[in-house]
Amino acid sequence: MSLTHTFGLLTNPDQAWEAIRRESESVTRLYTGHVLLLALIPAVAGFYGTSQIGWQIGDGQVTRLSINSALSLSVLFYAAMLAGIFILGKFIDFFAATYDAVDQTPRGIAMAAYTATPIFLIGVIAVYPNIWVNMLAGLVAIAYAVYLLYQGLPILMRIPEDRGFMFATAILTVGLIMFVALLAISVVIWSMGIGPIYVS
């Protein structure tokens, strides 16, 4: 059912969120049927794009990553996506009572996973690592993910409408903090010698 929900979130979000709430998937089923599969899209596309196609800045030389470097960075990126969904989901469950969630069933990981769907799907654009194309596509995906968050939170978590906006904004803030923390961790990892290795 997870892939059906993926299509539904793109065509009819309200109905898709209602269906997701009724099914109440376990974390294991959610990961095996949705997150593990869709998170592969940007990881694999990024590996191929950076190691086989490469990128070019202006009229400069085409730059690629070595196979080993691209593979290690793609694996780290994939693991970060999986962990990020889980951690953000736990934050959502933790704060649900604060915002008067009617249903006490933990649904935070489902909220985080399905909200990230557009970002996972647009990750296919990483096959062609052009900074402007990737940035534009990423902004569109992030904008739609934010829309899904604000639209789906009151439905999935059964939050009163007047508190849904505040709750969604709190989740968005936590997500941005996690993103900044991930950038900081990346710098630390790169300084330990796991950074990108370029080939001409």
Side-chain angles (χ1 to χ4, degrees):
M1 288 302 292
S2 292
L3 292 180
T4 304
H5 296 325
T6 300
F7 181 72
L9 287 169
L10 299 177
T11 58
N12 197 332
D14 285 348
Q15 287 185 7
W17 284 122
E18 287 286 358
I20 292 166
R21 186 177 65 78
R22 286 194 302 271
E23 285 181 15
S24 191
E25 295 174 285
S26 68
V27 173
T28 303
R29 185 175 172 204
L30 181 63
Y31 263 76
T32 55
H34 185 80
V35 180
L36 292 175
L37 193 64
L38 290 185
L40 275 175
I41 295 172
V44 172
F47 168 76
Y48 181 81
T50 56
S51 65
Q52 302 302 313
I53 306 297
W55 64 93
Q56 186 176 14
I57 298 175
D59 294 329
Q61 184 177 349
V62 174
T63 304
R64 297 180 186 86
L65 294 179
S66 68
I67 296 292
N68 288 339
S69 179
L71 182 60
S72 64
L73 291 174
S74 295
V75 169
L76 287 172
F77 180 66
Y78 182 67
M81 287 188 291
L82 300 183
I85 293 294
F86 185 82
I87 293 168
L88 187 58
K90 289 300 182 182
F91 269 110
I92 294 171
D93 285 335
F94 179 76
F95 288 118
T98 305
Y99 291 91
D100 299 330
V102 175
D103 191 347
Q104 296 302 312
T105 305
R107 300 182 193 275
I109 294 175
M111 185 77 229
Y114 285 113
T115 298
T117 296
I119 298 168
F120 290 151
L121 294 176
I122 205 69
V124 72
I125 201 75
V127 165
Y128 178 65
N130 178 289
I131 187 167
W132 299 113
V133 172
N134 282 252
M135 187 180 298
L136 181 61
L139 286 174
V140 170
I142 290 169
Y144 194 73
V146 170
Y147 166 75
L148 287 178
L149 174 65
Y150 281 90
Q151 187 81 3
L153 187 70
I155 298 170
L156 187 63
M157 305 296 290
R158 298 188 69 188
I159 303 291
E161 289 289 338
D162 59 333
R163 310 215 69 187
F165 182 84
M166 290 186 298
F167 192 8
T169 303
I171 294 167
L172 190 59
T173 303
V174 170
L176 290 172
I177 291 170
M178 287 176 58
F179 177 71
V180 172
L182 180 62
L183 292 178
I185 291 169
S186 298
V187 171
V188 172
I189 290 174
W190 287 12
S191 68
M192 295 168 59
I194 308 179
I197 300 172
Y198 303 100
V199 294
S200 56

